[in-house]
Each structure stands twice: as C-alpha cells, then as structure tokens.
Amino acid sequence: MEIIKTINEVRLIIAAWKKEGLSIGFVPTMGYLHEGHQSLIERAAAENDRVVASVFVNPLQFGPTEDFSSYPRDLKRDMEVCRNSGAHMIFHPEADEMYFPDFCTHVDMDSLTAGLCGKSRPGHFRGVCTVVCKLFNIVGADRAYFGEKDAQQLAVIRRMVRDLNMAVEIIGCPIIREKDGLAKSSRNTYLSPLEREAALILKKSLDSGRKLADEGERNARIIVDTITENFVTEPLARLDYVELVDAFSMEKVDAVDRPVLVAVAAYIGKTRLIDNFFFEPASGLKTQQ
Amino acid sequence: MEIIKTINEVRLIIAAWKKEGLSIGFVPTMGYLHEGHQSLIERAAAENDRVVASVFVNPLQFGPTEDFSSYPRDLKRDMEVCRNSGAHMIFHPEADEMYFPDFCTHVDMDSLTAGLCGKSRPGHFRGVCTVVCKLFNIVGADRAYFGEKDAQQLAVIRRMVRDLNMAVEIIGCPIIREKDGLAKSSRNTYLSPLEREAALILKKSLDSGRKLADEGERNARIIVDTITENFVTEPLARLDYVELVDAFSMEKVDAVDRPVLVAVAAYIGKTRLIDNFFFEPASGLKTQQ
C-alpha cells in the first residue's frame, strides 16, 4: 500500500490500473479512522479490484469557529487501518495541493442543505460537495463508499452525483457503533469519561422515537417531541436539533408516510456529535440498524 | 454520424470507444452552427480519434429577459456541418434529460465572473459552468474545444477545470470572422441588413484600441476610451461594456503590463453581440488575430 501526496501521481497510478481493466473503489475520509471507516474500506475491497482511501482534513468544510485545527490526526494509525482493511493507496494531499491561492470554484446545492447540519453549519455542505467533486475527478473511481451516520452528507452527495452526471456509484453503508450504542466518530476522542457516558443520550433518545415509529406512530411531531423530551434528561448534553425529514429531499415532513430520516445533533461539552435512523413505514421495517 | 438524445446511450458509445483505446474530442455548442463551430470540430477531428459535438440550448444560462426561446435552432443544418467537419456523434438532449424537476446542484465561480458579461448577465456563468460540468461528466472527453470569441467563458471554464481537477484538456481556438471582420455568431442571424452593417463597429472600435496597443500605448484607460469614442459614432449600436482585463483573472487592470483581454459587448437593435482581442505586451505580439 502506497501513500500518495500529489494529484499527478494518483492520476498516473489510477490510469495504469484502468488500463489493466481493474475496478476502483474509493473511500474519502478526514482520517483518524475508526471501525466505521474500516467497514467502508472492507466493503470497497470486497467489491472492487483496487481501493483508494483519501485522508484529507478539508479546511473548506469547517466554519471559522469549528474544530479544523484541533481535528484529530494520526496518519500512522490510519495507514495501519487502511492496510488491514484492504486499501491499495492512501491519497493524503496537503491543503495547497488541493487549493490554489486563487481557487474560486464551488459546487453548491440549493435544496437538501437548508435544514439539519446545513442550518447549524453554514457553508459546510458547499465545502463537502466541492472537495468530494474534486476527489471524484482525481480518483475516477467506479464506486465510492460513505457512512450513513452522515446521512445528510450521503443524501447531498447522491444528489450532486445525479445532478452533475458524475460517473460514480455511491454506496451508503450502515452506522458502526460502540458496544453500548454510541455511533463511532473520530470526534468521540474529544470526550472526557463523563462526557462519553453522557453521549449515549443521542442513541437512547433516538431509540425512544424509533420505538414509537415501530409501534405505528405516524405523527412526526410526536416522534420528535418524544426524542427531545428524552434527550433533555441528560444535563451534560445540549441539543442542536432533532428533525424528522424526507429520506431523499431532506425536507421536514409532518407525517411518517414515506421513507424518513430521523436525525439528532448535539453538543456534549464542546464536542458536536450526530446520530440518526432511517425508517420506512410501508413495510414497517427499519432500513438501518 | 449518430444523433444521440439520451445520456445513457452516450455513455455506452463512449465506453466502447474508450475500450478500443480511442481518444475523444468534444465540442459543446448551442447549435445553429457556423464556421466558428466548424473550426472547433475540425480541430477536434484532427487531434482525436472520435469527436462528439453537443447541440443543447441550455435554459440555465439564459436570464429571464434573454433570448432562450427565440435562440435560432436548425438541427438539420447542424447535422450537415457536424458531418462535414468530422464529428462522429451529436449529443442532442431535451432539457428534461439534462435537468430533473428537482435539480438543485450548481457549479459557481466567485472570481472571474464579476465583470464583463458576468455583470450584464447575472447567473449566466453559473449556468455555463453547471452545464459544461455535466457535459464533461457525460462525455468524458480527453480534450474540449471552445472559441476565443467567448473569451470570458473560456477563462471561466479553464478555471473550473483547474479548480475541480477535471480530467479534460481545454483548447481555445481563434475567432472566425466574416470577410468584413464581423465575428461569426449564431446571433448574427437576428440582424437586419442595416444592423448587420452597424455591427461592424464592434471590430472597428476594437481595432482602434489594438492599434494603440501595437504602437506601445500601455495605459488601459486611454485604450478603453479610444474604443468607446470610436464605438459611439455608430448610432444603431448601444454599448454594454468595453473592458481591459487581466487575461487570466478577468480583473480590470490600469496598465497593459501583462497578457490582457480587451473585450466589448453591445446591442445592435435588440441583438447582443460580443467581440475581443488578446494582447501580450512582453513581445508586443498579438496572441490572437
């Protein structure tokens, strides 16, 4: 497995692979890889001849008060995870390899980004779309893998790929959790032991909403209120949002009469965490554990 | 030569060509092809194994008061021009093949689009970037050919390709003119005989500025003023802008101390026409006739 730092080198290696007729899977990450990323790389390795993982903490998707500079980094460990999960290349560019000083082109999305994390993090999805578009163009993969924990991001990327006719298949993969239910996140490393305990409230409160939906509740307001009431019992947590939205358009709905996403974001101390579940009422079955 | 109307069919044919190792040149157009387009297709045919021309009047790049619905269309003649110039495929989609009803992704450029046509036509370059990005993703060409008449468009597309790491080479081609000097344009067809005569003022006034530059004038103001004074002698013409800008950033400059673009846009009756020349002071040579 190689670590490649320049766009030109990536292109050369990919061109050689393509000439051999090899299929390419791609897992874009910001590094500090956990079992969630690992599951993406393993799936990419199972479904493609070659796997590229990118490790790039993208400055463009962080707000001015967000944790860009403190975002955890550990390339050595990331290399281990990539190697053990079946990756063939890590693309790890510096920021100035990705962005010229007079960089001025962005990919913007008018819908899908108004609510949820788009509301709390203005400019975030502009940064995500732009860097993912760039990475797709650099890697030229057949398939790209994203975790369902970042459910809005996944919906946004699917839409971008559809709208801009990008020749890559987007594959969403289930949330990977700690044994006690906390969704795996690179940001979990920020949590003190007390905060780590308090962070369980995201999954617990979501579960209270899912139980209602499973039992047949179709009023979105009741599900959201139940999650909120459950959430606020945790004094160390501060709710950012609870939303129940259309699973594709990411627009708020009043009734659970279609596939929906129920998502929560919250601060545990200074650490912002997210979690969610998908629910499809037709079958009554959960589409994601 | 085939006319293809769906994205999926284009992809299948291109994939087969690529499998054979054939190189692909691409000429995106809005149809009503003239000798300018012809020169692009011929160059693409000379430099590539296969040539795709697209004919698509892109609604996204027209303002609400502009000439989208009246823009001239003549697919039969376009087919003749394409065939005679060496194209192998015309991609001619309907608008609903290109844009889903809930289409919501755009490519935006913060710089390069503030002046010149970007100022007169708000949203125009957003529409251009978005459709060109889509077409590039659909066709997957090795090289794409654009005329230097739309000089700002060419600079914008070059920047988009650089910033978003698109794997296509952009090739700018010289302006093709009528015998009397009028730059070829599909919109010339709108002109009455009297207007056709008056339209020569674009080239004539630009020539007065180029003469100054050739003679060593380096003060941008003087060049612009001379062109403007020359221009306003034509009563049937209404000036939109005369600008002298950096040839790459498209930003106004005070002195001709680098490669510059001198561009003019004007209304002849209701018809909006543009023309320009590049000038490079180091050598004193004109980079474009």
Side-chain angles (χ1 to χ4, degrees), chain B residues 198 200-212 222-235 237 239 242 264:
Chain B
L200 287 175
I201 194 64
L202 279 88
K203 174 67 160 62
K204 278 188 200 158
S205 60
L206 281 170
D207 281 348
S208 70
R210 175 142 62 179
K211 185 161 176 288
L212 280 185
I222 291 174
I223 294 171
V224 167
D225 286 350
T226 300
I227 294 171
T228 306
E229 283 157 24
N230 195 298
F231 188 94
V232 296
T233 60
E234 173 52 63
L239 195 59
V242 181
V264 58

Side-chain angles (χ1 to χ4, degrees), chain B residues 28-34 36-37 54-75 77-78 92 121 124 128 149-150 153 183-190 270-274:
Chain B
T29 83
M30 298 211 301
Y32 213 74
L33 305 180
H34 50 65
H37 301 106
S54 62
V55 172
F56 179 59
V57 186
N58 172 36
L60 214 61
Q61 71 192 67
F62 287 82
T65 63
E66 292 184 352
D67 59 341
F68 170 67
S69 55
S70 63
Y71 195 86
R73 292 155 167 94
D74 187 344
L75 187 63
R77 210 185 62 177
D78 291 345
H92 178 57
R121 306 185 68 187
H124 171 66
V128 168
K149 181 169 77 68
D150 297 281
Q153 170 178 282
K184 297 262 185 187
S185 166
S186 304
R187 288 188 172 100
N188 291 349
T189 190
Y190 295 143
K270 287 182 177 172
T271 304
R272 189 174 177 281
L273 299 177
I274 58 176

Side-chain angles (χ1 to χ4, degrees), chain A residues 207-221:
Chain A
D207 280 349
S208 70
R210 174 140 64 179
K211 186 161 175 289
L212 280 184
D214 284 342
E215 290 165 0
E217 181 59 63
R218 293 295 174 261
N219 184 319
R221 190 73 259 152

Side-chain angles (χ1 to χ4, degrees), chain B residues 107-140:
Chain B
V107 179
D108 272 313
M109 195 160 292
D110 302 335
S111 307
L112 280 84
T113 59
L116 304 165
C117 291
K119 191 174 177 183
S120 316
R121 306 185 68 187
H124 171 66
F125 285 113
R126 175 181 234 222
V128 168
C129 285
T130 302
V131 79
V132 170
C133 173
K134 285 169 65 68
L135 290 168
F136 283 177
N137 286 335
I138 292 165
V139 175

Side-chain angles (χ1 to χ4, degrees), chain A residues 31 43 51 54 56 62 99 109 130 134 152 165 173 183 216 219 234 242 253 272 277 283 287:
Chain A
R43 175 132 179 222
V51 175
S54 63
F56 179 58
F62 287 82
Y99 300 112
M109 195 161 293
T130 302
K134 284 169 65 67
Q152 188 178 19
N165 308 102
C173 302
N219 184 319
E234 173 52 63
V242 182
V253 292
R272 189 173 178 282
F277 67 89
S283 63
T287 59

Side-chain angles (χ1 to χ4, degrees), chain A residues 16-80:
Chain A
W17 288 347
K18 290 204 172 179
K19 212 166 178 182
E20 288 183 66
L22 301 173
S23 64
I24 293 158
F26 178 43
V27 182
T29 83
M30 298 211 301
Y32 214 74
L33 305 181
H34 51 65
E35 289 84 347
H37 301 105
Q38 199 175 313
S39 74
L40 303 179
I41 300 171
E42 285 168 357
R43 175 132 179 222
E47 297 180 351
N48 300 275
D49 299 316
R50 291 289 180 273
V51 175
V52 178
S54 63
V55 172
F56 179 58
V57 185
N58 172 36
L60 214 61
Q61 71 193 66
F62 287 82
T65 64
E66 292 183 352
D67 58 342
F68 170 66
S69 56
S70 64
Y71 195 86
R73 290 155 168 94
D74 187 345
L75 186 62
K76 210 169 160 186
R77 211 186 60 176
D78 291 345
M79 287 170 61
E80 277 308 301

